[in-house]
Amino acid sequence: MHAAARPATAGPSDVALTGAPTGLAALAARADHVIGTAVEWVAAAIVLVEIAILAAGVTARYLFHTPLVWSDELASILFLWLSMLGAVVALRRGEHMRMTGLVSRVSPGARAFLEALALTASIVFLLLIFHHALDYAQEEGFIVTPALEISNAWRAAAIPTGIALMLAAALARFVRLHARGPAFAAILVAAGLVALFWWAGPMLKPLGKLNLVIFFVGVVATNVFAGVPIAFSFALATFGYLALTTSTPLLVMVGRLDEGMSHLILLAVPLFVFLGLLIEMTGMAAAMIRFLASLLGHVRGGLSYVLIGAMYLVSGISGSKIADMAAIAPVLFPEMKARGAKPGDLVALLSATGAQTETIPPSIVLITIGSVTGVSIAALFTGGMLPAVVLGLALCAVVWRRYRHEDLSHVVRVPAPEILKLALVALPAIALPFVIRAAVVEGVATATEVSTIGIAYSVVMGLVVYRRFDWRRIGPMLIETASLTGAIIFIVGCATAMAWGLTQSGFSQDLGRIMAALPGGAWGFLAVSIVAFVILGSVLEGIPAIVLFGPLLFPIARQVGVHEVHYAMVVILAMGIGLFAPPFGVGYYGACAISKVNPDEGLRHIGGYMLALILGLLVVAAVPWLSTGFLKF
């Protein structure tokens, strides 16, 4: 995610909330605290239960050769509940992904208005969709699940329940807004826009495909740049398009939300997020970094090379860029600053390595691509290793140029026995990425289940080898996992509904014809895709962009002769560059927040790294073997 960084993608700022609420605000705060705490712990418990179910499934099938026929079904039911409750937690904590490039640059008064408008827009969608979600859950009550033989309403009820709880959380936040004038203005603007679109409905229907521009470009772009969370921006545009320009029952939109959030392979998202938090807590990441620093610390720019290498290794464990950067920056940055490195250059390199490592398994984006396009997860895991090496070498070239005159006269070289000792300590941590990949490729576990192997491995290493396991942190880590899962999976659901709307309009066929007719054949298609996904990555982030456009473009890639794994690597790296490139890339601001560096300091240094990433991406695009060469092994 990879999710982008939380500080850059948060919901309406807590600064806008009253510090000591009174009256109605106090009542809302108390109710929100009670309900919110209950939701957090239920969601955390579901994460634990999901880990146990998948671990039991792997054990029963691989060790005892007696598969649990009900495990996947129960895991799927609980996953929808986890996604919806996690979305509630994310809304309460202001962690739904959003673009704040414009919001953070306007005057305080305008910012208060935009923050209130973002919250109001979310409330509007939740109010509009709630009764359709209830109808959908009732309709699902007639379906009986095949393994557990229970009503599917037990699963579908997660959607209206989650929507109702999100609505309560959003209203509680709105009541607690300190700036009453901007809040009232936001209500008037939102009500006026809803009334205007409703009134214009009869005039919109005859416009045909021009409505795609109005809703999926105009409405989405306006909402995204105004700071409305991306998921709600997609959802509002899709709801408006279906309600005002088609005769499609809005029950269908809820069904598409359900479909998008119900891919069992996406269950890997929370488990890998939790695994990332676990390796940081157990000290496994720190052990790897200390070993790499002992090897290269005496070389000019050595700690920068360590940063690049550590991000490569840690990405292979956690699957979450937030976890990667949070595990590495606090360990390396103090010593790098002591050696004279500029904070702006450090955050620029950290951001660039975030983009570089997007294809390293078990990347959440790889898992998402596999779920929405049908490409083999094992093939994607195999194909993602070398492209990241190419971009890493390009970054190393920039580091060599910038640090070739670094003064290391005060640096003491670590003796060989100490390096060997650190290597032995780091060996269990370094082995984990290879354990994960081998388990998938050898068929021990699926991409969804393999995270449980990593979790069990990390728990054992933390308790037995590293003797560092803080049980008090497990609860907060599980809640953090649920929140990030809700933010990610709710986007996937809303983007799936939007992609369905685009497909039903005939847009996918039109796009296919245009892209297939591009001059230059496969090379022209790749070039246009690179530019498009760099832009999409900076505005929409990787996961919503790939969910929205992956099902449309991957068939075209096959049609023009581009291998699907090669195409996946190209578009993921392009999205990563957009995600971590300022001024719009929210991943860049996440790196700044984790590094505690002002974003303006990094802007002077990041150009060279981004140029290196682009050159590396062009090499990957031009040499398909880098992505597909090891698929036959």
Side-chain angles (χ1 to χ4, degrees), residues 235-261:
L236 281 167
T238 306
F239 188 95
Y241 173 75
L242 295 177
L244 300 176
T245 70
T246 74
S247 57
T248 303
L250 292 171
L251 203 70
V252 173
M253 180 177 174
V254 183
R256 301 288 74 76
L257 286 170
D258 185 358
E259 179 188 357
M261 294 188 289

Tab-separated table of all heavy atoms in Angstrom, residues 235-261:
chain	number	residue	atom	x	y	z
A	235	ALA	N	-17.758	6.609	-4.682
A	235	ALA	CA	-19.120	6.157	-4.385
A	235	ALA	C	-20.158	7.205	-4.766
A	235	ALA	O	-21.205	6.875	-5.336
A	235	ALA	CB	-19.227	5.819	-2.898
A	236	LEU	N	-19.911	8.477	-4.465
A	236	LEU	CA	-20.860	9.531	-4.807
A	236	LEU	C	-21.038	9.645	-6.311
A	236	LEU	O	-22.168	9.789	-6.808
A	236	LEU	CB	-20.383	10.876	-4.230
A	236	LEU	CG	-20.653	11.095	-2.734
A	236	LEU	CD1	-19.866	12.298	-2.240
A	236	LEU	CD2	-22.149	11.307	-2.493
A	237	ALA	N	-19.934	9.579	-7.065
A	237	ALA	CA	-20.016	9.671	-8.520
A	237	ALA	C	-20.800	8.489	-9.094
A	237	ALA	O	-21.648	8.663	-9.977
A	237	ALA	CB	-18.617	9.729	-9.123
A	238	THR	N	-20.536	7.287	-8.591
A	238	THR	CA	-21.230	6.096	-9.093
A	238	THR	C	-22.710	6.145	-8.749
A	238	THR	O	-23.566	5.848	-9.598
A	238	THR	CB	-20.597	4.827	-8.499
A	238	THR	OG1	-19.186	4.840	-8.759
A	238	THR	CG2	-21.202	3.574	-9.105
A	239	PHE	N	-23.035	6.514	-7.520
A	239	PHE	CA	-24.439	6.606	-7.102
A	239	PHE	C	-25.178	7.630	-7.962
A	239	PHE	O	-26.284	7.360	-8.455
A	239	PHE	CB	-24.528	6.994	-5.627
A	239	PHE	CG	-25.920	6.935	-5.069
A	239	PHE	CD1	-26.374	5.816	-4.400
A	239	PHE	CD2	-26.794	8.015	-5.209
A	239	PHE	CE1	-27.662	5.754	-3.887
A	239	PHE	CE2	-28.083	7.965	-4.699
A	239	PHE	CZ	-28.513	6.830	-4.038
A	240	GLY	N	-24.555	8.805	-8.152
A	240	GLY	CA	-25.202	9.837	-8.963
A	240	GLY	C	-25.404	9.401	-10.399
A	240	GLY	O	-26.480	9.616	-10.981
A	241	TYR	N	-24.408	8.753	-10.978
A	241	TYR	CA	-24.510	8.297	-12.365
A	241	TYR	C	-25.625	7.266	-12.523
A	241	TYR	O	-26.460	7.373	-13.429
A	241	TYR	CB	-23.171	7.707	-12.805
A	241	TYR	CG	-23.219	7.053	-14.169
A	241	TYR	CD1	-23.255	7.826	-15.325
A	241	TYR	CD2	-23.246	5.665	-14.289
A	241	TYR	CE1	-23.313	7.225	-16.576
A	241	TYR	CE2	-23.303	5.058	-15.529
A	241	TYR	CZ	-23.339	5.845	-16.672
A	241	TYR	OH	-23.413	5.245	-17.906
A	242	LEU	N	-25.653	6.274	-11.643
A	242	LEU	CA	-26.666	5.221	-11.754
A	242	LEU	C	-28.067	5.752	-11.450
A	242	LEU	O	-29.045	5.399	-12.113
A	242	LEU	CB	-26.335	4.065	-10.804
A	242	LEU	CG	-25.056	3.277	-11.100
A	242	LEU	CD1	-24.824	2.212	-10.033
A	242	LEU	CD2	-25.100	2.632	-12.482
A	243	ALA	N	-28.187	6.625	-10.447
A	243	ALA	CA	-29.497	7.110	-10.032
A	243	ALA	C	-30.105	8.099	-11.024
A	243	ALA	O	-31.322	8.088	-11.261
A	243	ALA	CB	-29.399	7.760	-8.649
A	244	LEU	N	-29.270	8.926	-11.630
A	244	LEU	CA	-29.789	10.040	-12.426
A	244	LEU	C	-29.757	9.796	-13.931
A	244	LEU	O	-30.479	10.459	-14.672
A	244	LEU	CB	-28.997	11.317	-12.110
A	244	LEU	CG	-29.046	11.784	-10.649
A	244	LEU	CD1	-28.153	13.000	-10.452
A	244	LEU	CD2	-30.480	12.099	-10.231
A	245	THR	N	-28.921	8.871	-14.399
A	245	THR	CA	-28.782	8.725	-15.854
A	245	THR	C	-29.116	7.329	-16.350
A	245	THR	O	-29.077	7.085	-17.556
A	245	THR	CB	-27.343	9.069	-16.294
A	245	THR	OG1	-26.441	8.060	-15.842
A	245	THR	CG2	-26.908	10.420	-15.739
A	246	THR	N	-29.402	6.384	-15.448
A	246	THR	CA	-29.749	5.025	-15.874
A	246	THR	C	-31.006	4.567	-15.118
A	246	THR	O	-31.452	5.225	-14.179
A	246	THR	CB	-28.607	4.019	-15.577
A	246	THR	OG1	-28.568	3.743	-14.176
A	246	THR	CG2	-27.267	4.570	-16.037
A	247	SER	N	-31.507	3.431	-15.524
A	247	SER	CA	-32.649	2.837	-14.827
A	247	SER	C	-32.215	1.666	-13.954
A	247	SER	O	-33.039	0.857	-13.534
A	247	SER	CB	-33.694	2.358	-15.851
A	247	SER	OG	-33.110	1.434	-16.762
A	248	THR	N	-30.930	1.578	-13.659
A	248	THR	CA	-30.386	0.477	-12.854
A	248	THR	C	-30.863	0.597	-11.409
A	248	THR	O	-30.721	1.666	-10.796
A	248	THR	CB	-28.845	0.512	-12.872
A	248	THR	OG1	-28.383	0.457	-14.213
A	248	THR	CG2	-28.266	-0.659	-12.085
A	249	PRO	N	-31.421	-0.465	-10.825
A	249	PRO	CA	-31.785	-0.421	-9.400
A	249	PRO	C	-30.535	-0.199	-8.547
A	249	PRO	O	-29.491	-0.829	-8.780
A	249	PRO	CB	-32.393	-1.800	-9.135
A	249	PRO	CG	-32.746	-2.338	-10.482
A	249	PRO	CD	-31.768	-1.754	-11.447
A	250	LEU	N	-30.620	0.690	-7.571
A	250	LEU	CA	-29.443	1.015	-6.762
A	250	LEU	C	-29.046	-0.120	-5.831
A	250	LEU	O	-27.967	-0.093	-5.244
A	250	LEU	CB	-29.694	2.297	-5.982
A	250	LEU	CG	-29.787	3.526	-6.902
A	250	LEU	CD1	-30.248	4.736	-6.140
A	250	LEU	CD2	-28.448	3.787	-7.573
A	251	LEU	N	-29.914	-1.131	-5.726
A	251	LEU	CA	-29.535	-2.362	-5.045
A	251	LEU	C	-28.301	-2.980	-5.706
A	251	LEU	O	-27.468	-3.603	-5.044
A	251	LEU	CB	-30.707	-3.345	-5.112
A	251	LEU	CG	-30.792	-4.455	-4.068
A	251	LEU	CD1	-31.126	-3.861	-2.710
A	251	LEU	CD2	-31.864	-5.458	-4.468
A	252	VAL	N	-28.198	-2.770	-7.016
A	252	VAL	CA	-27.075	-3.336	-7.776
A	252	VAL	C	-25.755	-2.718	-7.311
A	252	VAL	O	-24.732	-3.403	-7.230
A	252	VAL	CB	-27.285	-3.110	-9.285
A	252	VAL	CG1	-26.053	-3.549	-10.069
A	252	VAL	CG2	-28.513	-3.863	-9.759
A	253	MET	N	-25.774	-1.435	-6.993
A	253	MET	CA	-24.538	-0.798	-6.545
A	253	MET	C	-24.051	-1.422	-5.244
A	253	MET	O	-22.843	-1.647	-5.064
A	253	MET	CB	-24.741	0.702	-6.357
A	253	MET	CG	-23.480	1.415	-5.887
A	253	MET	SD	-23.658	3.188	-5.733
A	253	MET	CE	-22.064	3.588	-4.992
A	254	VAL	N	-24.976	-1.704	-4.331
A	254	VAL	CA	-24.588	-2.361	-3.084
A	254	VAL	C	-24.015	-3.741	-3.387
A	254	VAL	O	-23.028	-4.171	-2.766
A	254	VAL	CB	-25.790	-2.470	-2.126
A	254	VAL	CG1	-25.357	-3.079	-0.803
A	254	VAL	CG2	-26.420	-1.102	-1.890
A	255	GLY	N	-24.596	-4.428	-4.354
A	255	GLY	CA	-24.067	-5.729	-4.745
A	255	GLY	C	-22.653	-5.644	-5.273
A	255	GLY	O	-21.814	-6.514	-5.003
A	256	ARG	N	-22.365	-4.569	-6.039
A	256	ARG	CA	-21.011	-4.405	-6.547
A	256	ARG	C	-20.033	-4.044	-5.421
A	256	ARG	O	-18.867	-4.437	-5.447
A	256	ARG	CB	-20.984	-3.330	-7.640
A	256	ARG	CG	-21.873	-3.619	-8.832
A	256	ARG	CD	-21.363	-4.728	-9.737
A	256	ARG	NE	-21.508	-6.061	-9.207
A	256	ARG	CZ	-22.658	-6.735	-9.159
A	256	ARG	NH1	-23.781	-6.204	-9.599
A	256	ARG	NH2	-22.703	-7.964	-8.680
A	257	LEU	N	-20.499	-3.259	-4.441
A	257	LEU	CA	-19.670	-2.993	-3.262
A	257	LEU	C	-19.317	-4.313	-2.573
A	257	LEU	O	-18.163	-4.558	-2.216
A	257	LEU	CB	-20.409	-2.086	-2.279
A	257	LEU	CG	-20.553	-0.602	-2.605
A	257	LEU	CD1	-21.510	0.061	-1.629
A	257	LEU	CD2	-19.200	0.085	-2.544
A	258	ASP	N	-20.325	-5.147	-2.394
A	258	ASP	CA	-20.131	-6.456	-1.760
A	258	ASP	C	-19.138	-7.295	-2.566
A	258	ASP	O	-18.200	-7.879	-2.016
A	258	ASP	CB	-21.485	-7.160	-1.663
A	258	ASP	CG	-21.401	-8.480	-0.914
A	258	ASP	OD1	-20.302	-8.882	-0.506
A	258	ASP	OD2	-22.455	-9.122	-0.745
A	259	GLU	N	-19.330	-7.323	-3.875
A	259	GLU	CA	-18.439	-8.110	-4.731
A	259	GLU	C	-16.995	-7.651	-4.596
A	259	GLU	O	-16.067	-8.463	-4.483
A	259	GLU	CB	-18.891	-8.002	-6.182
A	259	GLU	CG	-18.015	-8.767	-7.158
A	259	GLU	CD	-18.367	-8.477	-8.612
A	259	GLU	OE1	-19.334	-7.718	-8.854
A	259	GLU	OE2	-17.674	-8.997	-9.496
A	260	GLY	N	-16.781	-6.329	-4.609
A	260	GLY	CA	-15.425	-5.814	-4.519
A	260	GLY	C	-14.747	-6.127	-3.201
A	260	GLY	O	-13.529	-6.339	-3.146
A	261	MET	N	-15.537	-6.188	-2.121
A	261	MET	CA	-14.957	-6.418	-0.801
A	261	MET	C	-14.945	-7.888	-0.406
A	261	MET	O	-14.524	-8.212	0.701
A	261	MET	CB	-15.732	-5.617	0.251
A	261	MET	CG	-15.593	-4.120	0.089
A	261	MET	SD	-16.329	-3.181	1.462
A	261	MET	CE	-18.065	-3.463	1.146
